[in-house]
């Protein structure tokens, strides 16, 4: 018995829901597909009305509540003991995607949380190359061994015990904290070779803006005593704490604007990842100053 939960925002993706419907109906499976639209613009959400079927539950919010709160709301609406979360900008390529998850759960009954892979499509447009490069060189590899929220299956009772932190209203790190909290509480997390493709690439400028939002979230988390220990597992914070008492930040402060300009304009390469990490450190210092 499976509840498929999709947070939806400003992205037309009927293929995802048609594929989920097709795969679920082909299996001996009790299922539901719950989609909550987080106050998208009208042209990006009207198409959801076509999924007016018994096993679909389409909910439209009048006010945007953010990435953490919408996932908690989806779980609260779910009827079944297993929850499959998929981002609304995902693409499913494997015809046995749902079956793969069900088989994995049968073979690994002790797994409380199963994380599938996150892949990226080919990209030739230079305006989106920074996001694409980071996605393929960092996020795709991380999804093989760490938790991320774009493609994961979790037991409902485990989700109820964890929840996403709704104090985080900006983009970023809410899934990292969720995964670290699950690990700290002793829940079993497994990774599965069961990918989705992340379709919605951001422009270089938007990617950098989202990076700043994510670091701001991280700075907010650092002010919360309950996360003091687990946050030290994040490399960015470990490096920041190592150097925060030195004069390094004053020496590098002038680099911040130049780094952002370079990252937005240059063709991404291995050095770009290092520049981005330095930019994150400098922005974290800025947020905490």
């Amino acid at each position: 018995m499976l509840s498929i939960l999709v947070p939806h925002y400003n992205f037309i993706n009927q293929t995802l829901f048609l594929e989920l419907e097709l795969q679920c109906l082909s299996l001996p499976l009790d299922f539901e597909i719950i989609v909550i639209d987080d106050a998208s613009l009208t042209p990006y959400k009207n198409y959801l009305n076509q999924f007016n079927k018994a096993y679909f539950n389409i909910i439209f919010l009048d006010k945007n509540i953010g990435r953490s709160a919408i996932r908690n709301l989806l779980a609260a609406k779910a009827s079944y003991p297993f929850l499959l979360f998929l981002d609304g900008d995902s693409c499913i390529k494997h015809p046995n995607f749902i079956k793969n998850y069900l088989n994995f759960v049968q073979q690994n009954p002790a797994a409380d949380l199963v994380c599938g892979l996150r892949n990226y499509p080919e990209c030739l447009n230079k305006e989106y190359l920074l996001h694409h490069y980071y996605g393929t060189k960092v996020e795709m590899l991380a999804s093989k061994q760490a938790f991320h929220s774009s493609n994961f299956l979790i037991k409902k009772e485990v989700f109820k015990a964890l929840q996403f932190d709704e104090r985080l209203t900006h983009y970023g790190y809410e899934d990292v904290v969720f995964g670290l909290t699950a690990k700290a509480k002793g829940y079993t997390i497994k990774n599965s070779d069961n990918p989705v493709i992340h379709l919605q690439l951001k422009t270089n400028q938007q990617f950098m803006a989202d990076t700043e939002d994510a670091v701001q979230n991280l700075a907010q988390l650092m002010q919360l005593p309950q996360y003091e220990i687990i946050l030290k597992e994040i490399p960015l914070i470990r490096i920041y704490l190592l150097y925060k008492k030195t004069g390094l930040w004053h020496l590098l402060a002038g680099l911040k604007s130049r780094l952002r300009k370079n990252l937005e304009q240059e063709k991404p390469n291995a050095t770009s990842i290092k520049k981005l990490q330095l930019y994150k450190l400098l922005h974290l210092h800025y947020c905490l100053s």
Side-chain angles (χ1 to χ4, degrees):
M1 297 189 292
L2 180 66
S3 295
I4 301 175
L5 310 178
V6 183
H8 182 275
Y9 182 68
N10 279 351
F11 192 74
I12 298 175
N13 193 11
Q14 66 179 7
T15 302
L16 171 64
F17 304 114
L18 292 172
E19 182 64 25
L20 288 171
E21 178 184 20
L22 178 67
Q23 291 196 23
C24 288
L25 288 175
S26 71
L27 297 168
L29 175 68
D30 292 326
F31 73 96
E32 63 183 353
I33 302 172
I34 305 176
V35 184
I36 300 183
D37 179 80
D38 203 7
S40 296
L41 297 173
T42 300
Y44 293 101
K45 63 184 179 182
N46 280 351
Y47 81 99
L48 292 172
N49 289 313
Q50 70 185 277
F51 299 103
N52 183 21
K53 302 177 182 179
Y55 37 83
F56 273 99
N57 183 7
I58 309 297
I59 301 168
F60 297 96
L61 301 182
D62 295 326
K63 181 180 179 181
N64 185 279
I65 61 174
R67 293 164 59 89
S68 292
I70 199 169
R71 286 174 171 81
N72 291 344
L73 181 59
L74 280 160
K77 299 286 184 182
S79 305
Y80 294 129
F82 288 94
L83 313 179
L84 173 58
F85 282 87
L86 296 172
D87 281 355
D89 56 5
S90 300
C91 173
I92 295 172
K93 285 298 186 181
H94 200 293
N96 290 323
F97 176 77
I98 297 296
K99 187 176 181 180
N100 288 343
Y101 262 126
L102 299 179
N103 288 342
F104 192 94
V105 169
Q106 288 181 344
Q107 295 164 12
N108 299 271
D112 298 302
L113 194 160
V114 183
C115 217
L117 299 183
R118 179 180 184 175
N119 293 342
Y120 279 77
E122 183 180 4
C123 177
L124 299 176
N125 190 329
K126 66 179 181 180
E127 292 297 318
Y128 299 88
L129 286 180
L130 182 58
H131 185 188
H132 182 265
Y133 189 87
Y134 184 81
T136 55
K137 301 300 182 182
V138 177
E139 291 184 342
M140 279 178 60
L141 295 177
S143 72
K144 294 180 179 180
Q145 55 190 359
F147 175 79
H148 64 99
S149 60
S150 60
N151 174 19
F152 73 98
L153 181 75
I154 187 170
K155 295 175 180 176
K156 186 176 182 180
E157 69 266 23
V158 174
F159 187 94
K160 288 175 68 176
L162 292 171
Q163 301 279 305
F164 281 87
D165 194 327
E166 295 188 16
R167 288 172 292 187
L168 300 177
T169 55
H170 292 276
Y171 167 89
Y173 283 102
E174 72 284 339
D175 55 347
V176 175
V177 169
F178 186 92
L180 290 176
T181 302
K183 179 182 175 182
K185 290 187 174 183
Y187 292 111
T188 301
I189 303 174
K190 297 284 187 179
N191 292 79
S192 171
D193 184 11
N194 199 26
V196 296
I197 298 174
H198 178 78
L199 294 177
Q200 192 175 23
L201 291 175
K202 297 162 187 168
T203 66
N204 299 341
Q205 290 76 17
Q206 184 59 54
F207 179 79
M208 290 304 298
D210 282 353
T211 296
E212 290 189 348
D213 275 351
V215 172
Q216 182 179 336
N217 254 9
L218 194 57
Q220 182 181 346
L221 287 165
M222 292 175 71
Q223 310 302 313
L224 302 176
Q226 73 192 83
Y227 296 127
E228 181 179 359
I229 296 176
I230 65 172
L231 286 180
K232 290 179 181 178
E233 292 194 41
I234 299 175
L236 187 70
I237 289 183
R238 289 205 301 268
I239 296 172
Y240 173 78
L241 294 175
L242 181 64
Y243 289 105
K244 76 171 186 175
K245 295 182 180 179
T246 71
L248 177 69
W249 310 112
H250 300 292
L251 295 174
L252 297 177
L255 280 177
K256 190 167 178 282
S257 60
R258 279 186 286 165
L259 277 173
R260 175 161 182 164
K261 185 176 180 180
N262 287 343
L263 286 164
E264 290 178 350
Q265 296 180 356
E266 70 182 6
K267 183 178 180 180
N269 52 53
T271 304
S272 300
I273 301 299
K274 296 177 181 178
K275 289 180 180 178
L276 184 62
Q277 290 302 102
L278 178 56
Y279 186 84
K280 288 180 180 180
L281 276 171
L282 293 172
H283 194 63
L284 181 60
H285 175 69
Y286 170 80
C287 291
L288 292 171
S289 299

